[in-house]
Amino acid sequence: MSLFWIVIRQLAEIEAMATSKKVITREEWEKKLNDVKIRKEDMNKLVMNFLVTEGYVEAAEKFRMESGTEPDIDLATITDRMAVKKAVQCGNVEDAIEKVNDLNPEILDTNPQLFFHLQQQRLIELIRNGKVEEALEFAQEELAPRGEENQTFLEELERTVALLAFEDVSNCPVGDLLDISQRLKTASEVNAAILTSQSHEKDPKLPSLLKMLIWAQNQLDEKAAYPRINNLSTAALEDPAV
Amino acid sequence: MPTTTTTAATTGSNILHRLTSADRDVKLKALRELKNQIIGNRTKKLSFLKLGAVPTVASILSDAVSTDAVVDNNNDNINKNIIVQSAAVLGSFACGFEAGVKAVLDAGAFPKLSRLLSYHDEKVVDAGARSLKMIYQSKLAPKYDFLLEKNMEFLLSLLNNENENVSGLGASIISHSCKTSVEQKLLSDAGVLRKLTSLLGGSLSQRDASLESLATIFKSNPEVVVKFVGNESERALSCIIDLVKDRFARTRLLASLCLIIVRNTSPCYLQDLAIKTKLINTLLELLGDPGQVGDEASFAFSSLIAQKEDMQKLAFEVNAIDKLYNHLKGGSLHPLRFEGILLALADMCSKLECCRSRFLSLQVLNLVIDALAHDSSDVRIAACICLRSVSRSIKNLSAGSFMNETVVIPLVRLLDDSSTSVQVSALGAISNIVVDFTTRRSLFIRCGGVKQLVQLSKSMDSTIRSNALWALRNLMFLAENKCKEGIFLELTASLLASLICDPEPIVQEQALALVRNLVDGCISSVEYMFAEDGIIFDAVGRQLRSASKAEIGIQGMYVLSNVATGKESHKEAVMNQLLPTENRTQPYLINFLQSNDSRLRTATVWAVVNLTCSSSPGASVRVVKLRDAGIVSQIKNMVNDPCLDVKLRVRTALGQLMTFEDSST
């Protein structure tokens, strides 16, 4: 948060100084940046937050030992969460459901949308594996009652069952359901629900900070020419085009 | 699909069979399987419930708890696991499923689950607390008696527990069981508010549970609210205000609800414009939530703005009508959400004309009319309430915006509804829309509306009778003669007379008010009073003599006032009614003039004014009679009546009386 406000304050200063577009040289810019103080502990916490949220449990453990940064969550729970996520990503949805229920039975009992999406993913996997009979039976027995309860679910169910109607599923209008991205989508939904149940944010903070950086730069572009960061992975300052 | 059902049933009884196995591994595996089958799946919960799974699992839990106590073997992992899994199964049966809660309670599982709270094993405690929490979400859960000292101690120990499920359970118990102001005060005095405030800083589930309990303890209890907001600390309240901006939708809703309850309980708090706007905006935004939060948001919004013109104004300025409409427009809404949005619109349009104009210009009306035919009776009721609220607009009533077939036909149809509450709310809407448009009343009559209303005025249910009469009364208001005649023929003098003498005072009042409108206007309508040997007129007189409440006197006196505007014979009939010659006791006229209710005094003086109008030949004789009965001197005493209305009529009456005084002396 603090980094964001520093940028904002600088923006305000610049706005006060210049009415027309001002040019700031790399030298001036770097001097300004040097005046900004970032605490090391804050950086470490951001890194830890990223590792924990993304589920890099071993890296988090190592990082904890090396940097002395305490994670805000029991690292053991990350392992469980990652196992669930991985199971969905591999298409073992039933296994994932069992694991979530072991972790906390309230999650799926109080989150009908997530429960439906997991069941839908199960159906998709059955269809993918060519188990037509079983897929039909599963759709009728497990999914149809959910569709009766909720209009949106019914539409999604119809879309999914439509997969059975096509000979060449890879080339049909609902083929995207068989895509790996569908698994990833479901996996990230489960991941988010587990994190929420653990009172943890479902997104890491680092990407938000970078988003704010880009937004602030865009705002600044209207007022000044300055060394901009265009490549986020190198974070290199690029000379202003004058 | 016979095959499917067979498979499902076979799997079901197979699991049940294995639950009773002597082999503990088999039993444990079956428990887990059952758990994974029913979690999130209402249909499965129901089918296993029917197979009798709940008592079986309850007895497994019971046995495992006893084994644990006897063996006292902390290393018996299988047994621990059986306890955890069976508690989770029972918890899931109780989750969002009332029949399940009932079965779990009937199977005697409640005390067993409670025992799990004192275990050392964290997993066992978690499972027990979660399941109990589920049970306490239901109305069926046993009431917790806070008045018992040991119960209060136990509750505090739950709230103080480090385990979030256990402290959350404590909060759920409060939300479920705290009902009376005595209990609220007891909890507040025991330091529960402070404890709950500290939970606001805890985990997501602790925060939500605590917000709910705080709201329960505050509700309609200004003393507790003052203690919390005034003495305890400003900080606690600002902590709740912060949670209105929380990341989680449910938390935002619960925090808003808590603040709304504080506001509605003690109107002196949270009057800051920023907070008011924040609450309105938050709730309008939460309407967009696809889940339960979105369903509940509109009800919370209603409780924030209901009866509060300033709040309705603020909401109007942030386009609340448009936003509510946008959610309606989407179509295929869950009935609960549909109902909530309609009621929110009703509250928005209950006072302010600007809201009603916006409502009508957006064509929301069409959607509301569709809702009149919705499958759910709650939605139909909400649509009627909404219609009633919008049709308070005099401007649009006069323009005939509501008196057209698209509105009237479905409304009249609802008069036949199987639900009494729907009938009553339809009558409420009709009462408003039939007011004040002389040209279009015939449409209502053509649609069979009058027949229906007359039919309902004979209902066994007094609420329906009085509401039907109310609608007829408004239909009669300033109606042209032909219209009145039509209604009167349908009603008949004898039915009207019997309704005036109805056992229920609210019915009597409406019947008299109807007659008042019937005889209002031209002289020929006064004749209705004397149809069938004057049974209506006699009934009015009877009610006036025994008027059980001021409202009946008021309506009755206006009836007589209106009759007294008629011919000499009409005026004489009123005189005989007011001052019967054979009766020597103090006339009720005096009592009415001395009433505490200024409306009754006004109505009574009106009658005297109409009787003593100097242009009519018999007036001087009537003045003498009135003077002899002590009425004139009573009116003279009223020249300085505190009510302006009364004072004005008294001056008019005295002015007329004086002309006769002068001529007689």
Side-chain angles (χ1 to χ4, degrees):
Chain A
M1 207 56 185
S2 52
L3 189 58
F4 173 67
W5 287 115
I6 291 159
V7 176
I8 291 289
R9 203 173 307 135
Q10 293 214 338
L11 271 174
E13 277 172 23
I14 291 160
E15 193 168 13
M17 285 187 311
T19 44
S20 64
K21 204 159 170 174
K22 187 187 156 99
V23 177
I24 306 164
T25 64
R26 176 187 280 264
E27 202 180 15
E28 286 172 295
W29 192 247
E30 281 179 344
K31 195 162 162 287
K32 279 182 193 296
L33 291 186
N34 276 338
D35 290 342
V36 180
K37 297 277 173 277
I38 305 279
R39 293 196 321 150
K40 179 100 186 216
E41 293 88 331
D42 290 343
M43 289 298 296
N44 286 348
K45 276 189 186 155
L46 283 172
V47 171
M48 181 56 98
N49 170 276
F50 180 77
L51 295 175
V52 165
T53 316
E54 292 290 307
Y56 299 111
V57 61
E58 281 165 35
E61 181 59 39
K62 284 233 165 67
F63 187 64
R64 184 179 72 87
M65 290 199 298
E66 287 185 20
S67 69
T69 311
E70 281 305 320
D72 54 357
I73 197 167
D74 181 2
L75 286 179
T77 65
I78 304 181
T79 320
D80 296 333
R81 177 163 55 90
M82 284 305 111
V84 175
K85 199 172 162 183
K86 196 156 173 233
V88 179
Q89 282 168 350
C90 301
N92 300 327
V93 187
E94 211 174 337
D95 186 33
I97 292 177
E98 284 173 19
K99 287 192 160 77
V100 178
N101 288 343
D102 279 340
L103 210 54
N104 180 351
E106 276 174 76
I107 296 176
L108 293 182
D109 238 344
T110 54
N111 197 337
Q113 181 165 326
L114 173 64
F115 181 70
F116 175 80
H117 284 152
L118 281 169
Q119 297 285 64
Q120 180 192 26
Q121 192 66 46
R122 258 177 95 177
L123 177 61
I124 293 171
E125 300 306 337
L126 286 173
I127 297 173
R128 192 197 313 279
N129 297 330
K131 297 179 178 164
V132 177
E133 286 278 309
E134 213 178 315
L136 274 175
E137 194 175 304
F138 182 76
Q140 286 220 12
E141 198 185 312
E142 302 282 338
L143 285 160
R146 306 287 84 73
E148 279 169 30
E149 290 159 11
N150 184 311
Q151 182 66 29
T152 329
F153 294 170
L154 185 63
E155 284 160 22
E156 285 189 55
L157 173 60
E158 283 168 355
R159 234 170 74 79
T160 316
V161 176
L163 281 174
L164 289 166
F166 295 93
E167 292 254 329
D168 177 14
V169 279
S170 56
N171 248 332
C172 78
V174 287
D176 58 311
L177 288 172
L178 288 173
D179 226 48
I180 197 73
S181 66
Q182 181 68 25
R183 277 187 185 172
L184 296 181
K185 203 170 113 192
T186 313
S188 102
E189 201 183 334
V190 191
N191 187 47
I194 299 175
L195 279 169
T196 301
S197 79
Q198 294 166 343
S199 303
H200 198 279
E201 268 137 277
K202 57 189 199 300
D203 301 309
K205 295 185 193 290
L206 220 40
S208 320
L209 273 178
L210 293 178
K211 280 181 197 168
M212 280 188 213
L213 171 74
I214 292 170
W215 177 82
Q217 287 192 145
N218 289 343
Q219 295 288 307
L220 187 53
D221 282 341
E222 291 170 19
K223 310 246 171 0
Y226 60 95
R228 211 175 183 281
I229 293 178
N230 289 325
N231 183 341
L232 285 179
S233 59
T234 59
L237 291 176
E238 289 176 24
D239 284 330
V242 187
Chain B
M1 278 275 140
T3 45
T4 319
T5 358
T6 326
T7 343
T10 330
T11 329
S13 36
N14 184 296
I15 291 180
L16 278 195
H17 180 71
R18 281 183 285 135
L19 282 177
T20 53
S21 163
D23 184 337
R24 293 198 306 170
D25 285 317
V26 175
K27 197 191 281 279
L28 179 60
K29 209 160 157 264
L31 274 173
R32 277 199 71 206
E33 213 173 304
L34 175 59
K35 179 187 79 174
N36 290 322
Q37 290 264 339
I38 62 168
I39 285 183
N41 196 328
R42 221 187 140 76
T43 340
K44 287 277 172 69
K45 283 180 194 179
L46 187 62
S47 64
F48 276 106
L49 186 80
K50 283 181 181 158
L51 286 172
V54 175
T56 313
V57 177
S59 77
I60 293 176
L61 173 66
S62 177
D63 291 346
V65 169
S66 321
T67 311
D68 206 73
V70 176
V71 178
D72 191 23
N73 180 359
N74 280 326
N75 299 321
D76 187 352
N77 263 329
I78 290 203
N79 200 50
K80 285 268 156 58
N81 257 328
I82 287 179
I83 293 178
V84 169
Q85 297 298 333
S86 52
V89 169
L90 295 171
S92 181
F93 270 116
C95 178
F97 183 53
E98 291 293 276
V101 179
K102 187 167 182 304
V104 171
L105 293 172
D106 288 349
F110 193 82
K112 297 288 180 291
L113 290 168
S114 304
R115 271 184 61 185
L116 303 186
L117 297 178
S118 53
Y119 271 63
H120 290 293
D121 189 309
E122 198 73 359
K123 280 209 160 107
V124 175
V125 177
D126 266 335
R130 273 197 188 115
S131 299
L132 288 168
K133 220 164 57 179
M134 291 301 174
I135 295 173
Y136 271 111
Q137 311 269 310
S138 156
K139 287 193 182 68
L140 298 172
K143 182 170 162 52
Y144 194 87
D145 188 359
F146 302 107
L147 274 64
L148 289 176
E149 202 177 321
K150 71 172 176 35
N151 276 2
M152 188 62 99
E153 274 169 27
F154 182 65
L155 178 69
L156 285 170
S157 78
L158 293 180
L159 289 172
N160 283 319
N161 200 300
E162 292 279 313
N163 182 313
E164 64 166 303
N165 286 313
V166 177
S167 52
L169 169 65
S172 299
I173 292 177
I174 295 173
S175 308
H176 172 272
S177 286
C178 175
K179 298 272 189 263
T180 65
S181 58
V182 175
E183 291 167 333
Q184 289 170 326
K185 178 142 193 326
L186 211 60
L187 287 166
S188 158
D189 291 345
V192 167
L193 292 179
R194 210 172 312 122
K195 189 60 226 161
L196 288 171
T197 311
S198 75
L199 288 181
L200 288 177
S203 75
L204 175 64
S205 66
Q206 284 174 320
R207 239 166 35 207
D208 287 1
S210 156
L211 283 169
E212 232 176 324
S213 314
L214 281 171
T216 314
I217 304 178
F218 293 156
K219 192 163 191 188
S220 311
N221 194 328
E223 195 187 339
V224 172
V225 170
V226 167
K227 189 176 171 203
F228 180 77
V229 184
N231 309 346
E232 291 269 310
S233 65
E234 285 278 318
R235 211 174 44 78
L237 190 64
S238 60
C239 180
I240 302 179
I241 294 171
D242 281 343
L243 289 176
V244 174
K245 293 177 272 188
D246 195 80
R247 283 177 291 137
F248 292 105
R250 175 123 210 109
T251 309
R252 290 204 293 280
L253 175 70
L254 292 171
S256 303
L257 274 169
C258 195
L259 295 182
I260 292 170
I261 283 185
V262 169
R263 274 178 57 91
N264 290 351
T265 303
S266 303
C268 55
Y269 296 122
L270 301 168
Q271 287 305 322
D272 183 52
L273 182 68
I275 292 179
K276 291 201 271 192
T277 320
K278 181 83 215 154
L279 281 172
I280 289 174
N281 282 326
T282 304
L283 292 172
L284 286 174
E285 174 224 304
L286 286 173
L287 287 176
D289 182 281
Q292 207 188 347
V293 171
D295 293 344
E296 289 168 24
S298 52
F299 292 93
F301 179 79
S302 281
S303 64
L304 177 64
I305 62 155
Q307 308 294 331
K308 294 188 182 67
E309 210 173 303
D310 61 325
M311 295 304 284
Q312 290 162 17
K313 185 95 203 308
L314 262 180
F316 174 73
E317 280 160 9
V318 298
N319 296 325
I321 303 262
D322 294 56
K323 287 175 183 163
L324 289 164
Y325 169 60
N326 287 338
H327 288 291
L328 272 193
K329 216 168 43 173
S332 70
L333 290 174
H334 187 276
L336 185 64
R337 184 172 293 226
F338 202 172
E339 179 197 358
I341 293 177
L342 288 171
L343 291 176
L345 281 166
D347 279 316
M348 279 299 290
C349 295
S350 62
K351 287 181 188 289
L352 297 173
E353 191 61 26
C354 59
C355 292
R356 297 176 195 138
S357 302
R358 186 72 195 143
F359 178 98
L360 291 167
S361 70
L362 283 173
Q363 313 277 313
V364 189
L365 192 59
N366 295 335
L367 296 174
V368 177
I369 292 168
D370 291 344
L372 290 174
H374 197 275
D375 286 341
S376 149
S377 61
D378 290 330
V379 173
R380 296 199 296 278
I381 291 173
C384 288
I385 294 174
C386 190
L387 209 50
R388 181 172 118 198
S389 183
V390 185
S391 58
R392 281 185 190 144
S393 164
I394 303 289
K395 197 174 91 187
N396 284 292
L397 278 174
S398 312
S401 307
F402 308 105
M403 195 47 123
N404 52 57
E405 285 173 359
T406 45
V407 181
V408 173
I409 293 176
L411 262 182
V412 170
R413 198 170 290 146
L414 288 186
L415 295 179
D416 256 343
D417 202 279
S418 55
S419 146
T420 314
S421 323
V422 174
Q423 288 178 311
V424 170
S425 40
L427 285 168
I430 288 175
S431 294
N432 275 357
I433 67 163
V434 295
V435 171
D436 196 30
F437 20 75
T438 40
T439 53
R440 296 179 183 244
R441 278 191 173 94
S442 55
L443 168 78
F444 185 77
I445 300 172
R446 269 207 318 280
C447 292
V450 173
K451 271 200 167 55
Q452 286 277 14
L453 292 179
V454 171
Q455 207 52 45
L456 291 181
S457 69
K458 301 177 209 163
S459 161
M460 295 295 283
D461 184 320
S462 62
T463 321
I464 291 197
R465 283 202 304 280
S466 73
N467 278 285
L469 285 172
W470 196 328
L472 284 167
R473 157 197 178 178
N474 287 351
L475 188 64
M476 201 74 98
F477 180 66
L478 297 181
E480 71 221 81
N481 257 343
K482 212 171 133 260
C483 176
K484 281 185 184 176
E485 196 185 337
I487 302 172
F488 185 75
L489 286 176
E490 195 68 48
L491 260 170
T492 71
S494 52
L495 175 59
L496 255 178
S498 76
L499 285 168
I500 290 170
C501 300
D502 194 275
E504 292 298 325
I506 45 163
V507 179
Q508 298 166 11
E509 184 193 341
Q510 293 305 329
L512 286 167
L514 191 161
V515 173
R516 170 186 169 185
N517 285 349
L518 173 70
V519 297
D520 180 37
C522 65
I523 292 187
S524 65
S525 56
V526 176
E527 294 292 344
Y528 291 124
M529 288 297 282
F530 302 96
E532 293 191 37
D533 295 330
I535 49 171
I536 299 180
F537 194 68
D538 292 343
V540 173
R542 241 190 334 271
Q543 281 311 332
L544 278 171
R545 282 192 293 279
S546 61
S548 57
K549 54 180 201 168
E551 281 75 13
I552 291 170
I554 295 166
Q555 299 301 341
M557 281 319 292
Y558 275 119
V559 171
L560 293 188
S561 290
N562 286 349
V563 176
T565 60
K567 292 185 266 187
E568 278 304 301
S569 60
H570 298 147
K571 290 184 203 282
E572 285 307 314
V574 173
M575 276 306 283
N576 290 336
Q577 190 65 260
L578 289 173
L579 303 169
T581 38
E582 73 275 14
N583 198 339
R584 293 285 98 198
T585 57
Q586 174 168 290
Y588 58 85
L589 207 51
I590 296 276
N591 298 338
F592 284 1
L593 287 170
Q594 290 170 345
S595 160
N596 289 326
D597 194 315
S598 62
R599 297 168 304 161
L600 181 52
R601 296 200 301 275
T602 313
T604 312
V605 182
W606 254 125
V608 174
V609 168
N610 289 348
L611 286 170
T612 58
C613 177
S614 53
S615 61
S616 71
S620 58
V621 182
R622 288 194 289 274
V623 170
V624 172
K625 281 188 190 161
L626 286 167
R627 192 188 302 132
D628 293 348
I631 309 294
V632 176
S633 58
Q634 171 61 35
I635 291 185
K636 279 184 181 161
N637 287 338
M638 294 164 72
V639 269
N640 285 320
D641 195 281
C643 169
L644 269 183
D645 244 7
V646 178
K647 202 165 151 180
L648 186 68
R649 303 302 155 221
V650 164
R651 305 246 154 160
T652 316
L654 286 177
Q656 290 180 178
L657 292 168
M658 287 314 158
T659 47
F660 297 106
E661 300 259 302
D662 294 345
S663 57
S664 63
T665 48

